[in-house]
Amino acid sequence: MSLKKKIATAVATATVGLAATMGSVAAQAAPTYVTIGTGGQTGVYYVVGQSICRLVNRGAKDHNIKCTAPSTGGSVVNINAIREGKQDMGMAQSDWQFHAQKGTKHQSFIDQGPFENIRALFAVHNEPFTVVARADSGIETFDDLEGKRVNLVNPGSGTRGTMEVIMAEKGWTKDSFKLAAELKTAEQAQALCDNKIDAMLFMVGHPSGSIKEATTSCDSKVIPVTGAAIDKLIADNDYYSTATIPGGMYRGSDADVTTFGNAATMVTSADVDADTVYHVVKAVFDNFDRFKRLHPAFANLDPKKMINDGLSAPLHDGAVRYYKERGWM
Ligand code: GLU
């Protein structure tokens, strides 16, 4: 076959192939794409998002929804991406769900004013505010972080936002630390074990891959987060409560560690279509036993609590439809 003929044949084959593909796509309605913003890849939000998408995508032949859950900068980034219409849904700490709706506490929320269209779907696991320090750092209590090399985590993460809330309560600024790093949560375990920082922070569900990595790759331990400033935050804000990181869960921390925490929640916007929201919520709760098995932090979840606790924004209409069908409302 001449070269010219070969090219002509190749083009003809490609055209037939393309026509066939277009034919099958045209026969089906275009899928609805849903994106769920998560957090760093070693956190629990990423597992929540991936798990939900897996359940949604299993049912794609019924509802034609395709779900993706990319890694993101965390709670505040997710809420702002939803507000801008760049993401449909996302994971967010209950404190930042509250402040987004009111337009308070976080500079980006204050600048934009109340996010009136924020809607809640459900809460998931509890997230204790977690501090891990190198064993050789001399850090035994939360107050010992002063003057040390601390990763405050990337701006836009819920962890960073909540750390700034604590810092304001304690009268600390970035200058209170020898180093105030801004590494992403997925980078901090290695930085800790490379001795680039003395302590890392993560408001995260347990067990967490990130805390496992930090406590197994080098000698480090989980530090209590207690004291007058923390007591005041718990007393003043419904979304915070005392929390415990169980002893024995991580190497170097055999006893229970007391801290405070809030709930991980999933949020969306009133602008997102009710049918889409209905199918995402249905995928989770129709397959709830399967969902619970996807991460140990989900083991004790109870649907009736999940649709109440930690939710300050109104529930989305599509979620309400499903919860009513189930007789939960
Ligand atoms: N609560 C964390 C944040 O918004 C994320 C936790 C996770 O990735 O599991 O910064």
Side-chain angles (χ1 to χ4, degrees):
M1 209 190 284
S2 72
L3 181 60
K4 216 169 160 186
K5 184 101 186 276
K6 262 192 200 160
I7 291 171
T9 312
V11 170
T13 315
T15 312
V16 170
L18 187 63
T21 315
M22 282 170 63
S24 66
V25 170
Q28 266 188 346
T32 303
Y33 291 97
V34 166
T35 48
I36 302 178
T38 62
Q41 287 189 1
T42 54
V44 181
Y45 285 5
Y46 189 71
V47 184
V48 175
Q50 295 292 317
S51 303
I52 293 173
C53 281
R54 195 174 309 167
L55 297 175
V56 170
N57 292 337
R58 281 174 78 235
K61 59 177 187 322
D62 301 325
H63 48 56
N64 210 15
I65 297 171
K66 299 247 164 79
C67 180
T68 52
S71 157
T72 72
S75 295
V76 174
V77 168
N78 292 341
I79 292 171
N80 287 330
I82 292 167
R83 189 171 192 166
E84 288 163 26
K86 291 183 185 148
Q87 271 173 22
D88 303 297
M89 301 173 188
M91 296 298 300
Q93 292 176 196
S94 50
D95 53 354
W96 299 118
Q97 178 187 140
F98 177 92
H99 289 298
Q101 195 196 356
K102 300 263 184 307
T104 48
K105 212 72 171 180
H106 198 281
Q107 197 55 51
S108 73
F109 296 163
I110 295 168
D111 292 346
Q112 296 175 89
F115 180 8
E116 278 156 12
N117 272 354
I118 190 171
R119 292 290 177 272
L121 297 182
F122 47 79
V124 199
H125 52 282
N126 292 324
E127 298 190 281
F129 191 92
T130 309
V131 178
V132 181
R134 289 178 62 84
D136 62 9
S137 66
I139 298 170
E140 299 289 338
T141 67
F142 189 77
D143 285 351
D144 294 339
L145 292 178
E146 212 173 343
K148 297 289 201 258
R149 299 169 303 163
V150 180
N151 186 34
L152 303 182
V153 187
N154 60 289
S157 68
T159 306
R160 170 63 172 271
T162 306
M163 181 59 177
E164 286 183 358
V165 169
I166 305 173
M167 285 164 62
E169 197 63 55
K170 294 184 76 69
W172 287 356
T173 66
K174 278 187 176 183
D175 294 337
S176 305
F177 308 102
K178 185 169 167 195
L179 172 73
E182 300 197 316
L183 299 170
K184 293 182 191 161
T185 52
E187 300 165 338
Q188 56 181 350
Q190 181 163 3
L192 186 84
C193 289
D194 287 347
N195 203 9
K196 298 210 167 82
I197 53 173
D198 297 307
M200 58 181 255
L201 316 174
F202 205 1
M203 195 144 187
V204 70
H206 294 283
S208 127
S210 168
I211 309 299
K212 277 227 154 88
E213 185 189 343
T215 51
T216 51
S217 309
C218 60
D219 289 336
S220 63
K221 61 182 174 186
V222 182
I223 303 297
V225 183
T226 52
I230 305 299
D231 291 345
K232 183 161 190 309
L233 285 177
I234 296 171
D236 291 352
N237 301 291
D238 285 346
Y239 41 79
Y240 292 138
S241 57
T242 305
T244 303
I245 301 166
M249 186 172 266
Y250 300 109
R251 190 178 79 97
S253 302
D254 295 333
D256 285 0
V257 176
T258 303
T259 178
F260 79 109
N262 72 359
T265 71
M266 190 149 134
V267 296
T268 184
S269 158
D271 295 338
V272 175
D273 166 62
D275 278 341
T276 307
V277 171
Y278 170 87
H279 283 294
V280 171
V281 168
K282 182 173 162 64
V284 173
F285 291 105
D286 276 4
N287 299 292
F288 198 58
D289 287 336
R290 190 184 288 260
F291 177 75
K292 282 204 294 192
R293 282 197 302 271
L294 294 171
H295 194 282
F298 309 157
N300 299 317
L301 293 180
D302 168 4
K304 297 217 177 88
K305 284 194 173 154
M306 290 170 73
I307 69 171
N308 280 302
D309 296 359
L311 307 181
S312 45
L315 288 168
H316 192 285
D317 290 347
V320 169
R321 197 207 303 170
Y322 179 80
Y323 300 153
K324 285 194 170 153
E325 267 176 29
R326 291 295 299 258
W328 294 340
M329 293 181 68

